[in-house]
Amino acid sequence: MLSFSILGALEIYTEAGQVEIPGDLQRTLVQVLLISERQAVGGEVLINEMWGDSAPDNQTNALQAHVSRLRRRLRALEPERSLSRLTIHPSGYRLAVEDDELDAAQFFRKVQQAEMAMLTHPAEAADLLRSALAMWRGPVFGQLPGGTVCRLAGARFEEHRLRARELLFDAELDAGHHSRILAELHETHISNPLRERFCEQLMLALYRSGRQADALDTYRRMWQHLSEEIGVQPSPSLRRVERAILSHDPALSLGSGRGRLESDLTGARRP
């Protein structure tokens, strides 16, 4: 059985260890097929991803040659497999990969399990999310981001990665670990200065740690950054957290989860 890793540079493993797919064109071909979610990929898409504007005159024959080479390589890695992983269809080429053979699919499954556990078992959800995030070895596809399709997939996966970090901090806060995650949360906020959710979480962690002044200073610096960088004001959600800190709103107390916190802060402003 093979396993494929794309949460970082492309890596392929057999039971005996890591194997190489030589050449950027072959590696790009594998990458596009892996992000297709088991759907067939048209030849024109593959050609554009592999060569871009530098496609050879005999591009169809060149693609078929690379597909044949990859099929032979995969077959050699799994001699016991009866059917080829790489198959040809009227709509293009398809690589058969099960969810437990692809790290990205495992990442999404763990995040989904964590979301289900958030309300009742936040510490367990945090453990699941840390396990999921530990699967990342760097940017998707590493130093070979590929063409438009691969780059868009990489950006989409990176957004899911950031969302998982947001969920992780929500779970840690709900579990009462605000002091423990302060340094990690501050670093994440600094690395993503325009992502307001990390700012909200940092403000809440600081407030619960008895550092109200630092929480408010974090808000003021965020407001200044948003104004100078993109010319906008903080979102209503971020402003509600600032007002709640100023008034020592009980909704900020430990045990107010993400959904409950938003509901309480919104409801507190209604007549």
Side-chain angles (χ1 to χ4, degrees):
M1 184 177 108
L2 295 180
S3 63
F4 302 84
S5 297
I6 63 173
L7 301 181
L10 173 67
E11 292 181 351
I12 301 177
Y13 293 88
T14 67
E15 293 181 355
Q18 187 175 354
V19 298
E20 289 295 325
I21 298 295
D24 288 354
L25 291 175
Q26 286 276 292
R27 293 174 67 82
T28 300
L29 173 58
V30 175
Q31 289 175 179
V32 181
L33 293 171
L34 284 174
I35 62 173
S36 68
E37 299 180 349
R38 290 179 284 199
Q39 301 299 311
V41 183
E44 184 176 347
V45 172
L46 291 172
I47 289 170
N48 287 335
E49 288 293 300
M50 293 169 68
W51 286 285
D53 296 332
S54 303
D57 293 336
N58 58 340
Q59 53 191 248
T60 300
N61 291 337
L63 173 61
Q64 291 174 348
H66 277 285
V67 169
S68 296
R69 188 183 309 168
L70 179 59
R71 290 184 75 186
R72 290 195 299 269
R73 177 63 169 149
L74 294 174
R75 188 179 299 117
L77 294 173
E78 295 181 293
E80 74 287 351
R81 188 181 179 94
S82 58
L83 298 176
S84 174
R85 279 188 181 268
L86 182 50
T87 53
I88 303 175
H89 303 266
S91 55
Y93 303 87
R94 177 180 178 272
L95 184 64
V97 179
E98 300 300 324
D99 284 350
D100 60 353
E101 297 174 330
L102 181 63
D103 63 345
Q106 296 172 38
F107 168 79
F108 289 128
R109 182 168 64 246
K110 288 184 178 182
V111 172
Q112 185 179 41
Q113 291 171 346
E115 287 182 298
M116 295 174 62
M118 285 282 289
L119 290 178
T120 54
H121 300 90
E124 178 183 327
D127 288 341
L128 280 168
L129 289 161
R130 289 198 180 279
S131 175
L133 288 164
M135 301 176 70
W136 286 73
R137 297 169 287 109
V140 173
F141 307 136
Q143 300 302 311
L144 188 65
T148 302
V149 172
C150 285
R151 291 177 186 273
L152 288 174
R156 185 172 69 252
F157 288 174
E158 182 61 30
E159 179 61 28
H160 284 292
R161 182 186 189 182
L162 289 172
R163 174 58 181 153
R165 290 197 69 80
E166 291 178 347
L167 289 171
L168 168 63
F169 293 133
D170 280 341
E172 295 282 26
L173 288 168
D174 284 357
H177 300 160
H178 41 273
S179 296
R180 183 189 307 176
I181 63 170
L182 268 177
E184 180 184 7
L185 188 45
H186 182 265
E187 181 180 350
T188 303
H189 169 56
I190 294 300
S191 300
N192 301 273
L194 297 179
R195 202 169 182 97
E196 293 184 66
R197 181 58 189 147
F198 290 138
C199 182
E200 290 182 29
Q201 292 169 320
L202 178 57
M203 291 168 63
L204 180 57
L206 287 166
Y207 178 80
R208 287 182 177 174
S209 300
R211 297 169 57 181
Q212 180 186 20
D214 290 335
L216 294 172
D217 185 59
T218 297
Y219 173 79
R220 285 190 288 268
R221 284 186 280 108
M222 183 69 176
W223 190 337
Q224 181 179 10
H225 190 74
L226 289 171
S227 176
E228 292 177 352
E229 291 296 321
I230 55 177
V232 300
Q233 293 187 349
S235 66
S237 176
L238 188 56
R239 293 200 297 270
R240 284 196 295 270
V241 174
E242 186 248 0
R243 285 193 295 268
I245 289 174
L246 285 170
S247 63
H248 297 281
D249 194 312
L252 298 176
S253 62
L254 185 62
S256 295
R258 166 67 163 159
R260 177 181 161 189
L261 177 61
E262 288 185 335
S263 176
D264 286 353
L265 292 182
T266 302
R269 301 186 67 241
R270 293 173 183 165

